[in-house]
Amino acid sequence: MTDRELLALMETISNWGRWGKDDQRGTLNLLTLEMRARAAKLVCSGESVSMALPLATAPAPDNPTPAFHLMIHTGYDLPAQGLQASSDYLAIPTHGRAITHLDALCHMFWRGMMYNGYPSTEVKHNGAARCGIDTSFEGIIGRGVMLDVPKSKGVEWLEKGEKIFPADLDAAEKHHGVRVGEGDILAVRTGRHRYARTRGNWNPWVEGQAGLEAACLPWLRERGVALLIGDAVSDVTPSGYNEISVPIHAGAIVMMGLPLVDNADLEALSECCARLRRYEFMFMTAPLVIPRATASPINPIAIF
Amino acid sequence: MTDRELLALMETISNWGRWGKDDQRGTLNLLTLEMRARAAKLVCSGESVSMALPLATAPAPDNPTPAFHLMIHTGYDLPAQGLQASSDYLAIPTHGRAITHLDALCHMFWRGMMYNGYPSTEVKHNGAARCGIDTSFEGIIGRGVMLDVPKSKGVEWLEKGEKIFPADLDAAEKHHGVRVGEGDILAVRTGRHRYARTRGNWNPWVEGQAGLEAACLPWLRERGVALLIGDAVSDVTPSGYNEISVPIHAGAIVMMGLPLVDNADLEALSECCARLRRYEFMFMTAPLVIPRATASPINPIAIF
Amino acid sequence: MTDRELLALMETISNWGRWGKDDQRGTLNLLTLEMRARAAKLVCSGESVSMALPLATAPAPDNPTPAFHLMIHTGYDLPAQGLQASSDYLAIPTHGRAITHLDALCHMFWRGMMYNGYPSTEVKHNGAARCGIDTSFEGIIGRGVMLDVPKSKGVEWLEKGEKIFPADLDAAEKHHGVRVGEGDILAVRTGRHRYARTRGNWNPWVEGQAGLEAACLPWLRERGVALLIGDAVSDVTPSGYNEISVPIHAGAIVMMGLPLVDNADLEALSECCARLRRYEFMFMTAPLVIPRATASPINPIAIF
Amino acid sequence: MTDRELLALMETISNWGRWGKDDQRGTLNLLTLEMRARAAKLVCSGESVSMALPLATAPAPDNPTPAFHLMIHTGYDLPAQGLQASSDYLAIPTHGRAITHLDALCHMFWRGMMYNGYPSTEVKHNGAARCGIDTSFEGIIGRGVMLDVPKSKGVEWLEKGEKIFPADLDAAEKHHGVRVGEGDILAVRTGRHRYARTRGNWNPWVEGQAGLEAACLPWLRERGVALLIGDAVSDVTPSGYNEISVPIHAGAIVMMGLPLVDNADLEALSECCARLRRYEFMFMTAPLVIPRATASPINPIAIF
């Protein structure tokens, strides 16, 4: 695709106005109460798997602004008598590059507008008047599906900068025996963290990172994906486009109203799905109820 | 009870060693995979209810150390052209008095020891080597039960400092037609937030706050409660005891290994349970995976 | 002194009404423009010495609520091309125990009143309507004098909880060949930080900290001290008084209208004064212009 | 100038290596101890003037990320008895657009390098290993000179986007009867705040803001300015250059090692200089000692 073709594609995937001019929930509208209830029926053994990276408080090439975990009271400085309490303080850059987080729809602006045409100026000093993370305060619960792209390709991980095309998603579906449908929560694995744990981590903005090519945007819209989860940022980097450096972020969040989970850890989920030969599960996450915020750190859970 | 009787009671409720000398999960051991799977079967309509307070960033009598929500990039400072991204920073005192959070078992020490006899010195400047919040990284999922004490008493809320005794819990069970059993997640409502929203909030450590009397400890142990949720701090304040100012915190966390959720918002849940005439539900929460932390802010969810 | 004698002393040192019933500057009125100009004439070599502790962002026994320094953009996350900018965010508990700060006169209340009889209710949720830190927005510039009590006693530091009496101040004056007079800025050193750097730091509210005994209050008033600087909190802890736990804070700030600088680092100044055999200097500090605040972090400077 | 000419100019003004390959202080090296001492002799009446904006905690077009001032304890919620203390919490985006702050030399990178050729990667998650704000911990004290450009042009303020050229600086010198020389601290007034207070404030990155044209860079270097203070960001916006959008920031901070004070309030200083017919003064400021930070909020003071 050329830059010009990408710009044209942006218009074709728009969900602006689809759920009314006041809508702030985007594709989460596709995930109905009935679907939630059906997702609960997927639970068999009760086994659960976390998709969250441990909150990264140490510096690394892929973590230039880590979180802080400050101990306030410890057992070391409190007297060893009577009743005592330890405590701590936590500081989190919500979009941190090694932090598993849910992007709110107010996170991205294209030409001065966010999802549904709200002006970017609705996000002010005191937070987002529209499309903040608190619009999902009741949690995101539904049927989760994982497409384990390296697994379906017979490799351990995708290479840095490797592009995932719609045909790769189709092939993974076929390999796993699963089909992504309306209202589904879709996790796409690139193997980033297996790579990092084997060979050391790296700055994906400098060295590149596997992810979805912009051509996957119509696929995501046709299937009716409600929430997209990546083990990196869903976007391949570099994307090769100049005007829209991260077309998945732009197309999903701004045009489709499709929220993203960035920096999930899909390694344990990959092992579990392979072991159980099952790529669907009950999915649950609930962002912190931070009024008017652009994101929340989360710990998404798959239940089998 | 006298102080002396309370100290004697502490020994009788101990779960130290019950799940092995290396155990760090306490009563969460009571919540088996099978129970998780059974809890999923409670889902009917798919309706979900959050039990989290909005993250409180303004100081108030009940919130002396608020959280911070710092906007980093807004629609006001970014040009209204091309692709742009808003972002923010979040700082949270994990045990903040108006913050819905899950206490880890490393949060309380009694006479220099935490749950299972681990020395308090295992909680150092770099966090908790034992019983940190990350022991629950796979989420807490099970059958939730709410005991709405004011509802069962026919009042809007309990008064400041009002004590809840085992007989009140029994009466609430009878009123609701539900029985708390092994591995259950129990939420006990006092109506704190309805009171605060009606009459203004207050400092519960100065003016008092309704909660469980220490006599409820054996009840909690006998029933096999896996997780205890309060809309304040579960403990009544003032407790009336000198040596152990917060006996529920001490007895539950240190002696029983029973983690607590503090400062939940149970008002919407109360309305939902009353409307549906149903006091059990699927419960899900997943703490942030903060290595070695003493607590995590959470957004616990009930699914009906 | 007994508690009763201390209460009586409080009345005798009052400056309420001395500079009019609308005054909000207290003893800073003693520091005239002419004195400022004369202080500038003390400058000889131009050497300057900071009296500020580095802003402490790590928790420690003497620093239970540290400041935050949050990096927003770093050289690691920005591409190494074109023009780029690093940035950060700073969060400061203004009265933090390891933070060098200037207390405003609205910081302390005695029996519901602050300096000059203003009711404490003038300090609300939106800050101090009276006696806020911004009353000193033009800076505090004058003659600084240091009394290095351990130096004059021939010791490295005062012991934890050691009391400084008026006779000790007189002896230090004699030892240094300097005399504290009207409008002077007085720094009193206990050696706290030399002690901490040698033996490790500690919680001064648990283990005690050297400082001025309440008997120094009349001395401070007679001499006409305009600003008092301590390397801890000026008050000795424990003070030994029940009704007024920190009598220097109460007597200076509330009764005399004498602002305090807490947690200065006087070690470099001590070395410089000893080397130059000179205990007077031009002093300069300027609080951040924070409307209606109770304090400001500062970096006070001595110029020789 | 064309973009290409600007790039060429950058090389000609470099001070890299001028004070040794380990230097981190840049043009502050020009301000010797002797100059400090001479500056003190400029003090006559002792009158002082603050150049700081009140810390802006309210949203405005020129203040998209304001500071926070959170009251923690107030006279309103504390009992009106005995001794009580108010307190607050302060959070500051150090480079905030309406915050008077001192930029450290680590603030800007050009082609992956900061001043003196240090790699930008020296500014990490834990702050700046080189050229942090704490390199100025002993304060910046010297001879201040103000060039009041609107005054010398006989207007109230410069228009939005109006460019200041070297000839304008020369003309202002002539008008005021002052000459900027080596080691001087130079404040250049555009009248931004008088404009804003008269006509309302605006977003200078959208509507433009008066400031120095890039052609002033050689002038600043020839004169040996040690510190440059602007009532906006010193740079005119828009600058008209594509590759280097803010050439004064790039040229001064990166190439010359000349630190900048942004967003000073020069209105009171303008009135004072005009009244006294005197455009030189003793200047003092001291950044907070924030280890490894990229900036500090300050309250710079002129003493006459």
Side-chain angles (χ1 to χ4, degrees):
Chain A
M1 243 189 308
T2 64
D3 265 77
R4 181 184 293 241
E5 286 165 334
L6 176 59
L7 291 178
L9 182 150
M10 282 292 173
E11 300 307 318
T12 69
I13 58 172
S14 171
N15 282 326
W16 294 13
R18 180 172 172 188
W19 297 285
K21 68 179 178 49
D22 293 330
D23 181 58
Q24 302 182 52
R25 290 172 44 82
T27 55
L28 291 179
N29 285 294
L30 298 171
L31 178 42
T32 61
L33 288 194
E34 199 199 340
M35 282 174 173
R36 259 194 213 162
R38 248 186 294 144
K41 302 212 187 317
L42 295 171
V43 176
C44 297
S45 69
E47 183 174 355
S48 73
V49 177
S50 165
M51 303 183 200
L53 289 170
L55 199 74
T57 53
D62 68 348
N63 194 22
T65 54
F68 289 70
H69 175 219
L70 294 178
M71 293 301 293
I72 301 302
H73 290 301
T74 71
Y76 205 78
D77 61 77
L78 293 166
Q81 48 187 236
L83 187 65
Q84 306 288 347
S86 64
S87 62
D88 39 19
Y89 215 110
L90 196 61
I92 305 174
T94 50
H95 297 276
R97 291 190 192 164
I99 288 174
T100 307
H101 64 267
L102 173 65
D103 282 344
L105 296 184
C106 66
H107 174 47
M108 301 298 297
F109 311 134
W110 171 243
R111 294 179 176 167
M113 280 181 286
M114 54 180 144
Y115 166 68
N116 223 8
Y118 297 119
S120 60
T121 48
E122 298 259 23
V123 182
K124 298 204 186 94
H125 71 287
N126 63 349
R130 297 278 182 169
C131 298
I133 199 70
D134 43 341
T135 55
S136 305
F137 73 99
E138 285 179 350
I140 301 175
I141 301 148
R143 179 196 186 227
V145 172
M146 160 127 101
L147 295 184
D148 189 337
V149 181
K151 174 73 74 181
S152 84
K153 294 196 169 201
V155 296
E156 277 201 280
W157 49 66
L158 302 188
E159 295 303 322
K160 294 174 187 175
E162 186 171 346
K163 289 172 181 171
I164 298 170
F165 289 94
D168 299 311
L169 300 177
D170 291 335
E173 282 186 328
K174 205 163 172 185
H175 177 275
H176 304 336
V178 77
R179 189 179 158 86
V180 176
E182 188 158 291
D184 276 353
I185 288 136
L186 172 62
V188 178
R189 179 173 171 262
T190 68
R192 168 192 179 193
H193 302 297
R194 187 167 305 176
Y195 195 136
R197 283 159 199 159
T198 309
R199 300 212 177 153
N201 77 39
W202 70 95
N203 185 335
W205 300 95
V206 170
E207 298 183 38
Q209 167 59 37
L212 301 175
E213 216 284 331
C216 294
L217 284 166
W219 192 98
L220 293 169
R221 190 176 190 283
E222 280 153 30
R223 294 303 183 89
V225 170
L227 175 70
L228 177 62
I229 301 172
D231 54 3
V233 294
S234 288
D235 272 287
V236 66
T237 63
S239 69
Y241 301 101
N242 292 319
E243 293 211 47
I244 306 186
S245 55
V246 281
I248 300 295
H249 267 67
I253 295 180
V254 182
M255 300 315 296
M256 295 167 62
L258 168 56
L260 303 183
V261 172
D262 289 340
N263 309 319
D265 184 345
L266 302 176
E267 295 313 308
L269 187 62
S270 169
E271 282 162 35
C272 186
C273 288
R275 175 165 45 82
L276 301 176
R277 300 191 183 183
R278 195 185 140 186
Y279 285 81
E280 63 167 6
F281 41 84
M282 184 184 188
F283 173 87
M284 184 266 180
T285 199
L288 298 181
V289 187
I290 319 167
R292 309 167 74 93
T294 72
S296 172
I298 54 171
N299 178 4
I301 299 287
I303 316 175
F304 289 87
Chain B
M1 245 190 308
T2 62
D3 265 78
R4 180 185 293 239
E5 285 165 334
L6 175 59
L7 292 178
L9 182 151
M10 282 291 171
E11 299 309 316
T12 70
I13 57 173
S14 169
N15 282 325
W16 293 14
R18 180 172 172 188
W19 297 284
K21 71 179 174 51
D22 293 329
D23 181 60
Q24 304 183 51
R25 291 172 43 79
T27 55
L28 293 178
N29 286 293
L30 297 172
L31 178 44
T32 62
L33 288 193
E34 199 201 340
M35 281 174 174
R36 263 195 210 160
R38 248 187 291 143
K41 300 210 188 318
L42 295 173
V43 177
C44 297
S45 68
E47 182 175 355
S48 72
V49 177
S50 164
M51 303 183 201
L53 289 171
L55 200 74
T57 55
D62 68 346
N63 193 23
T65 56
F68 288 76
H69 175 220
L70 311 171
M71 291 302 292
I72 301 305
H73 290 302
T74 71
Y76 257 98
D77 66 316
L78 296 166
Q81 48 187 239
L83 188 64
Q84 306 289 347
S86 65
S87 62
D88 40 18
Y89 219 111
L90 197 62
I92 304 175
T94 51
H95 296 277
R97 290 188 194 164
I99 290 174
T100 308
H101 64 268
L102 174 64
D103 283 344
L105 296 185
C106 66
H107 173 48
M108 301 299 296
F109 311 134
W110 171 241
R111 293 179 176 166
M113 282 181 284
M114 54 180 142
Y115 166 69
N116 223 10
Y118 296 119
S120 59
T121 48
E122 297 261 22
V123 183
K124 297 204 187 85
H125 66 284
N126 63 348
R130 297 280 182 169
C131 298
I133 199 71
D134 44 341
T135 54
S136 305
F137 72 99
E138 286 179 351
I140 301 175
I141 301 149
R143 177 196 186 227
V145 173
M146 160 129 98
L147 295 184
D148 190 336
V149 179
K151 173 74 75 182
S152 86
K153 293 196 170 201
V155 296
E156 276 202 280
W157 50 65
L158 302 188
E159 296 302 321
K160 295 174 187 174
E162 187 171 344
K163 289 172 180 170
I164 297 171
F165 289 94
D168 299 311
L169 300 176
D170 292 333
E173 282 187 328
K174 205 164 172 184
H175 178 274
H176 304 337
V178 76
R179 187 179 160 85
V180 177
E182 188 157 290
D184 277 352
I185 287 136
L186 172 63
V188 178
R189 179 173 172 261
T190 68
R192 170 193 176 190
H193 302 298
R194 186 166 304 175
Y195 194 134
R197 281 157 201 162
T198 309
R199 303 215 176 151
N201 76 38
W202 72 96
N203 185 334
W205 299 96
V206 169
E207 298 184 38
Q209 166 58 39
L212 299 175
E213 216 282 334
C216 294
L217 285 165
W219 191 98
L220 294 168
R221 189 174 190 287
E222 280 153 30
R223 294 302 182 89
V225 171
L227 176 70
L228 177 63
I229 301 173
D231 53 4
V233 293
S234 289
D235 271 285
V236 66
T237 64
S239 70
Y241 300 102
N242 293 318
E243 293 211 46
I244 306 186
S245 56
V246 281
I248 300 296
H249 267 68
I253 297 180
V254 182
M255 300 315 296
M256 294 167 61
L258 167 58
L260 302 185
V261 172
D262 289 339
N263 309 317
D265 183 344
L266 301 176
E267 295 312 309
L269 187 61
S270 169
E271 282 163 35
C272 186
C273 287
R275 176 164 45 81
L276 301 177
R277 296 188 188 188
R278 194 184 140 188
Y279 285 81
E280 64 167 6
F281 42 84
M282 184 183 189
F283 173 89
M284 303 177 98
T285 198
L288 299 180
V289 187
I290 320 165
R292 308 167 76 94
T294 71
S296 172
I298 55 171
N299 178 3
I301 300 288
I303 316 174
F304 288 87
Chain C
M1 245 191 304
T2 62
D3 265 78
R4 180 184 293 241
E5 285 165 335
L6 176 58
L7 292 179
L9 182 151
M10 281 292 172
E11 299 308 318
T12 68
I13 58 173
S14 169
N15 282 326
W16 293 14
R18 180 172 172 187
W19 296 285
K21 69 180 175 49
D22 293 329
D23 182 60
Q24 302 182 51
R25 291 173 44 80
T27 55
L28 292 178
N29 286 293
L30 297 171
L31 178 43
T32 62
L33 289 194
E34 199 199 340
M35 280 174 174
R36 264 193 208 160
R38 247 186 291 144
K41 301 211 189 315
L42 295 172
V43 177
C44 296
S45 68
E47 181 175 356
S48 73
V49 177
S50 164
M51 303 181 200
L53 289 170
L55 200 73
T57 54
D62 69 346
N63 193 24
T65 56
F68 288 76
H69 175 219
L70 311 171
M71 292 301 292
I72 302 303
H73 290 301
T74 72
Y76 258 96
D77 66 315
L78 295 166
Q81 48 189 238
L83 188 63
Q84 306 288 350
S86 64
S87 62
D88 40 18
Y89 219 110
L90 197 62
I92 305 174
T94 50
H95 297 277
R97 291 188 194 165
I99 289 175
T100 307
H101 64 267
L102 173 64
D103 283 344
L105 296 185
C106 67
H107 173 46
M108 302 298 298
F109 312 134
W110 171 241
R111 295 179 174 165
M113 281 181 285
M114 55 180 141
Y115 167 68
N116 224 9
Y118 297 118
S120 58
T121 48
E122 297 260 22
V123 182
K124 298 206 185 86
H125 66 285
N126 63 348
R130 298 279 182 168
C131 298
I133 200 70
D134 43 341
T135 54
S136 304
F137 73 99
E138 286 180 349
I140 301 175
I141 302 149
R143 179 196 185 225
V145 173
M146 159 127 99
L147 296 183
D148 189 337
V149 180
K151 175 72 75 181
S152 85
K153 293 196 170 201
V155 295
E156 277 202 277
W157 50 64
L158 302 187
E159 296 302 321
K160 294 174 187 174
E162 187 172 346
K163 290 171 180 170
I164 298 170
F165 288 95
D168 299 310
L169 300 176
D170 291 335
E173 283 187 327
K174 204 162 174 186
H175 178 274
H176 303 337
V178 75
R179 189 180 159 85
V180 177
E182 188 157 291
D184 276 354
I185 288 136
L186 173 62
V188 178
R189 178 174 172 262
T190 69
R192 169 192 177 192
H193 302 297
R194 186 165 306 173
Y195 194 135
R197 281 158 201 160
T198 309
R199 300 214 178 152
N201 77 39
W202 70 95
N203 184 334
W205 300 96
V206 169
E207 298 184 37
Q209 167 58 38
L212 300 175
E213 216 284 333
C216 294
L217 284 167
W219 192 98
L220 293 168
R221 189 174 190 285
E222 280 153 30
R223 293 302 182 90
V225 171
L227 176 70
L228 177 62
I229 300 171
D231 53 4
V233 293
S234 288
D235 272 286
V236 66
T237 62
S239 69
Y241 300 102
N242 292 320
E243 293 211 45
I244 307 186
S245 56
V246 281
I248 300 296
H249 267 68
I253 295 180
V254 182
M255 300 315 297
M256 295 167 61
L258 168 58
L260 302 184
V261 172
D262 288 340
N263 308 319
D265 183 345
L266 302 176
E267 295 313 308
L269 186 62
S270 169
E271 281 163 36
C272 186
C273 287
R275 177 166 42 83
L276 299 177
R277 298 191 186 184
R278 196 186 138 186
Y279 286 82
E280 63 168 6
F281 43 82
M282 185 183 188
F283 173 90
M284 183 268 181
T285 199
L288 300 180
V289 186
I290 319 165
R292 308 167 74 93
T294 71
S296 172
I298 55 171
N299 178 2
I301 300 288
I303 316 172
F304 287 88
Chain D
M1 244 190 308
T2 63
D3 265 77
R4 181 184 293 240
E5 286 166 333
L6 176 58
L7 291 178
L9 182 150
M10 281 292 173
E11 300 307 318
T12 69
I13 58 172
S14 170
N15 282 327
W16 295 13
R18 180 172 171 187
W19 297 285
K21 69 178 176 52
D22 293 331
D23 181 58
Q24 303 182 51
R25 291 174 41 82
T27 55
L28 291 178
N29 286 293
L30 298 171
L31 177 45
T32 62
L33 288 194
E34 199 200 339
M35 281 174 172
R36 260 194 212 163
R38 250 186 290 144
K41 301 213 187 316
L42 295 171
V43 178
C44 296
S45 69
E47 182 174 356
S48 72
V49 177
S50 165
M51 302 183 202
L53 289 170
L55 200 75
T57 54
D62 69 345
N63 194 23
T65 56
F68 289 70
H69 176 219
L70 294 179
M71 293 301 294
I72 301 302
H73 291 300
T74 71
Y76 205 78
D77 61 76
L78 293 166
Q81 47 187 238
L83 188 65
Q84 306 288 348
S86 64
S87 61
D88 39 20
Y89 217 108
L90 197 61
I92 304 175
T94 51
H95 296 277
R97 291 190 192 164
I99 289 175
T100 308
H101 64 268
L102 174 65
D103 282 346
L105 296 184
C106 67
H107 173 47
M108 301 298 298
F109 311 135
W110 172 241
R111 294 179 175 166
M113 279 181 285
M114 56 180 142
Y115 166 69
N116 223 9
Y118 297 119
S120 59
T121 47
E122 297 261 21
V123 182
K124 296 203 188 94
H125 71 288
N126 62 349
R130 295 279 183 169
C131 299
I133 199 69
D134 44 341
T135 54
S136 304
F137 73 100
E138 286 179 348
I140 302 175
I141 301 149
R143 180 196 183 227
V145 173
M146 159 129 99
L147 295 184
D148 189 337
V149 180
K151 174 74 75 182
S152 86
K153 294 197 169 201
V155 296
E156 277 202 279
W157 49 65
L158 302 188
E159 295 302 321
K160 294 173 186 174
E162 187 170 345
K163 289 171 180 171
I164 298 170
F165 289 95
D168 299 311
L169 300 176
D170 291 335
E173 282 187 328
K174 206 164 170 185
H175 176 275
H176 304 337
V178 76
R179 190 181 159 84
V180 177
E182 188 157 292
D184 276 352
I185 289 136
L186 172 63
V188 178
R189 178 173 172 261
T190 69
R192 168 193 179 190
H193 302 297
R194 187 167 305 176
Y195 196 134
R197 281 158 201 161
T198 308
R199 302 213 178 153
N201 77 36
W202 70 97
N203 184 334
W205 299 95
V206 170
E207 299 183 37
Q209 167 59 37
L212 300 175
E213 216 284 331
C216 293
L217 285 167
W219 191 98
L220 293 169
R221 189 176 190 284
E222 280 153 28
R223 294 304 182 86
V225 170
L227 175 71
L228 177 62
I229 301 172
D231 53 3
V233 294
S234 288
D235 272 285
V236 66
T237 63
S239 70
Y241 300 102
N242 291 321
E243 292 211 47
I244 307 186
S245 56
V246 282
I248 300 296
H249 266 68
I253 295 180
V254 182
M255 300 314 296
M256 296 166 61
L258 168 57
L260 302 184
V261 173
D262 289 341
N263 309 318
D265 183 344
L266 301 176
E267 296 312 309
L269 187 62
S270 169
E271 282 162 37
C272 185
C273 287
R275 175 165 45 82
L276 300 177
R277 300 189 185 186
R278 196 186 140 186
Y279 285 82
E280 63 167 6
F281 42 83
M282 184 184 188
F283 172 90
M284 304 175 99
T285 199
L288 299 180
V289 186
I290 320 167
R292 309 166 75 95
T294 72
S296 172
I298 55 171
N299 178 4
I301 299 287
I303 317 175
F304 288 88

